[in-house]
């Protein structure tokens, strides 16, 4: 029995994208939350909670994109052709946000508000278009003769745009719970007060997407609601609901780390639900992993490099979070 290289590469890409969503999600969420916090020193604290790790978080996005190009070139070409504009807007938001992150600490007090607005705008644009890309991917990308057969603005439709709004709420919730864990006093209390309404809005959006998707895509509906799949997959929505109830209870108890960990669990469950809906297609609705795979020689060669570098990324990320663990207080910083 040979090694299933497309499956291995699919797991690596899924892992990389999930790590990006988890680690850069709360990072982008902090930029979104700047809109609700006007105090200069508290904004400094918010940025300092991610200052040592924010650039390393985006390594996972690079890994996912490079892995897709090397292991599934057909998928890479189709996705880039279909979603060129939202991906460009997303990258512009990330670049603008990164520049604002660095320049804000160096700007004069009378000019700092410019970079604050740039940080908010870059975070908002990057997050929204990540959601648009996700929604467009769920909607499906038509492929004819190994090429994208749709239009350049097919992504500009209600479902992808709604997914963009939903991801803004999800990242804001991650940012809230991260700041609850990393800050104290007035800022922590403000995040506690924001996290509860964000949790309710996020739950409502997840319910809408969970209903909208099978209604619009009969093949996804059959996968979820046919027997015996219904029995196997039923725990996922139940655990999502229980996770939200646990988040609300943790917020009521004024817990610190628990809301963040539970929110991560909910995000992971949502991500797993997406995988269940689309598997084994890497270009929904009809192109599978094996149809889009590169030659085995290319995948095997790339796999050697990936298996070499991924442990270094994991160790670096883990060490960074360990060294800079604990609370960030007013007047402290890493900039």
């Amino acid at each position: 029995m040979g090694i299933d290289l497309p499956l291995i590469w699919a797991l690596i890409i899924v892992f990389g994208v999930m790590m990006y969503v988890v680690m850069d999600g709360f990072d982008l969420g902090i930029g979104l939350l700047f809109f609700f916090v006007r105090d200069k020193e508290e904004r400094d604290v918010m940025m300092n909670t991610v200052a040592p790790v924010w650039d390393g978080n985006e390594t996972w996005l690079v890994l996912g994109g490079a892995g897709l190009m090397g292991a599934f070139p057909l998928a890479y070409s189709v996705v880039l052709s279909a979603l060129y504009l939202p991906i460009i807007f997303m990258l512009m938001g990330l670049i603008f946000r990164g520049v604002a992150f660095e320049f804000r600490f160096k700007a004069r007090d009378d000019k700092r508000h410019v970079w604050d607005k740039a940080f908010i705008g870059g975070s908002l644009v990057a997050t929204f278009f990540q959601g648009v890309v996700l929604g467009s991917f769920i909607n499906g990308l038509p492929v004819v003769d190994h090429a994208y057969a749709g239009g350049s603005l097919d992504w500009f439709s209600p479902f992808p745009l709604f997914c963009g709004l939903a991801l803004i709420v999800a990242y804001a919730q991650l940012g809230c719970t991260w700041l609850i864990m990393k800050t104290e006093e007035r800022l922590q209390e403000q995040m506690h007060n924001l996290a509860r309404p964000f949790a309710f809005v996020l739950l409502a959006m997840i319910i809408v997407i969970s209903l909208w998707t099978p209604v619009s895509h009969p093949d996804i509906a059959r996968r979820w609601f046919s027997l015996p799949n219904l029995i196997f997959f039923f725990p996922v929505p139940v655990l999502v609901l229980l996770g939200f109830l646990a988040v609300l209870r943790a917020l009521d108890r004024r817990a610190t780390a628990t809301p963040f960990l539970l929110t991560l669990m909910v995000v992971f469950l949502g991500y797993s639900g997406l995988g269940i809906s689309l598997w084994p297609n890497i270009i929904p609705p009809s192109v599978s992993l094996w149809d889009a795979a590169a030659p085995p020689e290319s995948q095997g060669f790339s796999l050697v490099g990936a298996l070499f570098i991924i442990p270094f990324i994991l160790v670096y990320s883990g060490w960074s979070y360990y060294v800079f663990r604990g609370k960030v207080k007013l007047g402290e910083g890493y900039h």
Side-chain angles (χ1 to χ4, degrees), residues 199-229:
F200 280 113
V201 175
L202 179 58
L203 177 59
M205 286 185 155
I206 288 177
I207 291 172
V208 170
I209 291 173
S210 299
L211 295 175
W212 195 339
T213 302
V215 168
S216 303
H217 303 280
D219 52 333
I220 294 178
R222 284 192 298 271
R223 172 164 297 182
W224 276 94
F225 302 120
S226 62
L227 293 174
N229 290 357

Side-chain angles (χ1 to χ4, degrees), residues 79-86 89 136 148-156:
V79 169
L80 265 290
S81 299
L83 304 174
Y84 183 82
L85 285 175
F89 291 146
S136 301
Y148 176 61
S152 59
L153 293 178
D154 285 0
W155 56 269
F156 195 77

